Amino acid sequence: MLARGREVLEELFPGLSAELAAEGAVYGDVVDQVLWFNHGCYLRNAPSKLLGLLLSRPMLEGGVRRRLLKLDNVRLRERCDALEPVFDRERGRVTGLRVKRHAIAEHVETMNADIVVDATGRGSQSAAWLERLGYAKPREETVRIGVGYMTRLYRRRPEQLNGKVGAIIAAYPPGWRFGAILAQEGERWTVSLGGYLGEQVPGDEAGFLEFARTLPTPEIFETIRNAEPLSPIMPYQFSANLRRHYEELSRFPEGFLAYGDALCSFNPVYGQGMTVACVEAVILRECLGAGAQGIARRFFRKASALIDIPWQIAVGSDLQHPRVQGKRSAQVRFINWYIAKLFRAAQRDDVLATRFLEVANLTQQPPALLDPRMALRVWKGNRRPIQAVRTAAAPQL
Ligand SMILES: Cc1cc2nc3c(=O)[nH]c(=O)nc-3n(C[C@H](O)[C@H](O)[C@H](O)COP(=O)(O)OP(=O)(O)OC[C@H]3O[C@@H](n4cnc5c(N)ncnc54)[C@H](O)[C@@H]3O)c2cc1C
């Protein structure tokens, strides 16, 4: 969970980070306690106020659910499928939701609602449903990346990885392979290795380890080589960044909106999706404060402005890959060139390293990297040589 998402969760559920940390989640300084490697350089580690949360998805969802259910006006209906919103054609508005309970075959009930929020994720059927009702579908923007990765859990000892809680080796030319090792509750590491556009990570023990060895830095390989595996090696495929432009629609039903991944789902390697969903919760709260009439239009406009930045970060970075298709505007090319230079300077510069991670953690906007004081630091830093980086030793034959 990026720092911005954690801040918002904390605002919505005060004390949640400490509660999860007490159960074993790792609550740490994103700049100081994680190794970030990209463009052949490590970002300099330094103490910062940027605090991220490392934990498994079930633990996070369990913690949020527990706090949510303590609210007097929240009730949870479990084991149901949302079938489709109920639409009142005459009033042009949604008045409820048709729901099917898992336990009762053939039984469909209607729940009345002032507002229905589609939070069914990337596979949302809202666009098709709108079309069936005679509304226009939102324009879909996709950037195909064919990211495939394998993940495995290992037993974690705190002295491993030089006491750091994670290492993220980004994909960059010419290898385009990436890896991440992140602590989580239960004294575990979660380790993901992957590549773009059909690059396959082997699913067997020896192949997985060998792939780790070919990453540009040795930390992941050296940590897992002798670590105790706690799970099988699990595959995951992510085809494309996907954005649905609901904010462009001129007609939209009252009493209905889409949210989270149903609006936009990003390449997961940048870890942005949950943070964007959290910030959208705050936007939705503000929009509700101004009344329910016309809420979708207001929400979509603000959510779209929010999504613009992480979308630029994810798609802009993915477009560095020469085989990823999409428009490489002069701005995208300049930013990618500049970020590579920034990494080189930030090897020795904690101000630059912190500023970069503030942007990547969505607590600052990208122009903060182009501020003249930052640009000067980048220029000065590039007059010094790149620090040497170790690679993992080849196995003895
Ligand atoms: C492999 C992977 C790793 C990721 N890692 C990170 C990360 O490190 N950090 C980060 O911030 N983001 C990460 N993300 C992105 C993040 O998971 C999503 O952005 C986030 O979960 C979106 O939340 P959501 O509530 O919109 O959708 P989802 O989390 O997808 O939730 C949708 C829910 O709706 C339910 N549902 C769907 N249809 C129906 C229906 N008809 N009736 C009832 N229920 C239904 C689904 O079962 C699901 O529980 C990752 C994504 C993937 C795929």
Side-chain angles (χ1 to χ4, degrees):
M1 172 65 87
L2 300 180
R4 177 77 185 117
R6 197 202 62 77
E7 282 170 14
V8 174
L9 267 188
E10 199 58 33
E11 181 193 328
L12 298 174
F13 303 111
L16 180 65
S17 306
E19 203 174 290
L20 293 169
E23 290 171 29
V26 179
Y27 177 24
D29 184 332
V30 173
V31 187
D32 205 29
Q33 294 213 271
V34 180
L35 295 174
W36 299 89
F37 189 84
N38 200 352
H39 301 291
C41 306
Y42 293 98
L43 289 183
R44 187 178 170 86
N45 291 121
S48 80
K49 296 197 173 83
L50 219 52
L51 297 173
L53 204 52
L54 295 171
L55 72 180
S56 71
R57 185 69 183 253
M59 185 185 213
L60 178 62
E61 294 196 346
V64 169
R65 172 182 287 222
R66 223 171 28 238
R67 294 293 291 266
L68 202 58
L69 292 180
K70 283 189 182 156
L71 303 177
D72 287 341
N73 58 350
V74 171
R75 230 156 287 134
L76 181 67
R77 285 276 192 105
E78 287 182 299
R79 299 179 211 295
C80 292
D81 284 337
L83 298 181
E84 62 173 8
V86 180
F87 184 62
D88 180 334
R89 206 172 272 277
E90 233 160 71
R91 293 158 65 207
R93 67 168 301 125
V94 166
T95 57
L97 186 67
R98 264 186 277 283
V99 173
K100 186 179 172 321
R101 290 213 195 171
H102 290 182
I104 316 173
E106 311 299 326
H107 177 79
V108 173
E109 61 186 287
T110 296
M111 291 168 70
N112 294 326
D114 295 323
I115 297 181
V116 172
V117 177
D118 170 8
T120 57
R122 185 181 167 100
S124 159
Q125 295 299 308
S126 287
W129 173 77
L130 283 171
E131 194 178 34
R132 283 202 299 279
L133 290 178
Y135 285 87
K137 278 167 84 167
R139 178 170 65 91
E140 275 194 4
E141 196 177 351
T142 53
V143 177
R144 219 186 83 68
I145 47 178
V147 160
Y149 54 91
M150 294 279 182
T151 299
R152 191 174 210 187
L153 299 172
Y154 290 88
R155 172 103 45 223
R156 171 176 173 238
R157 296 193 312 276
E159 70 277 12
Q160 287 170 320
L161 207 63
N162 270 337
K164 304 282 182 208
V165 297
I168 296 182
I169 320 297
Y172 68 94
W176 291 109
R177 292 180 164 187
F178 59 85
I181 180 166
L182 296 166
Q184 59 173 230
E185 77 275 8
E187 303 303 325
R188 288 177 301 189
W189 294 114
T190 171
V191 176
S192 294
L193 306 176
Y196 277 69
L197 295 170
E199 161 122 49
Q200 300 287 331
V201 183
D204 63 291
E205 176 118 28
F208 187 75
L209 198 59
E210 176 55 18
F211 192 97
R213 199 188 61 74
T214 64
L215 291 172
T217 74
E219 292 82 9
I220 297 181
F221 172 72
E222 288 175 354
T223 307
I224 64 175
R225 171 169 60 167
N226 298 315
E228 178 194 349
L230 298 176
S231 77
I233 299 171
M234 295 163 289
Y236 191 80
Q237 296 288 329
F238 186 89
S239 59
N241 293 293
L242 167 65
R243 183 170 181 183
R244 298 184 174 109
H245 287 278
Y246 282 97
E247 76 285 357
E248 294 174 351
L249 298 177
S250 54
R251 276 179 71 237
F252 198 79
E254 279 293 333
F256 182 66
L257 52 90
Y259 174 95
D261 272 22
L263 281 186
C264 186
S265 93
F266 310 89
N267 181 348
V269 303
Y270 306 110
Q272 300 170 318
M274 294 190 297
T275 291
V276 170
C278 286
V279 181
E280 284 173 5
V282 175
I283 294 177
L284 184 53
R285 183 176 62 179
E286 284 166 15
C287 290
L288 281 167
Q293 188 66 26
I295 192 165
R297 186 179 295 274
R298 282 180 279 126
F299 175 77
F300 288 144
R301 201 175 52 233
K302 289 187 175 181
S304 172
L306 163 75
I307 290 167
D308 277 346
I309 304 264
W311 180 261
Q312 276 167 23
I313 294 176
V315 168
S317 306
D318 288 341
L319 282 171
Q320 290 179 91
H321 194 299
R323 288 199 295 119
V324 168
Q325 293 193 354
K327 188 163 179 289
R328 289 167 176 80
S329 63
Q331 188 194 13
V332 165
R333 281 181 281 128
F334 169 73
I335 290 182
N336 285 335
W337 171 84
Y338 183 79
I339 296 295
K341 299 279 175 206
L342 183 145
F343 257 81
R344 179 162 170 176
Q347 298 172 101
R348 299 183 178 91
D349 186 333
D350 39 323
V351 174
L352 273 181
T354 304
R355 184 56 62 89
F356 173 80
L357 288 174
E358 285 168 351
V359 172
N361 277 264
L362 307 177
T363 66
Q364 285 269 2
Q365 307 260 328
L369 296 175
L370 299 166
D371 172 308
R373 283 164 304 174
M374 294 296 143
L376 185 62
R377 298 182 93 101
V378 170
W379 179 71
K380 282 189 177 161
N382 275 268
R383 295 165 67 195
R384 301 181 66 185
I386 290 190
Q387 287 171 339
V389 171
R390 275 191 318 122
T391 50
Q396 303 269 317
L397 295 175

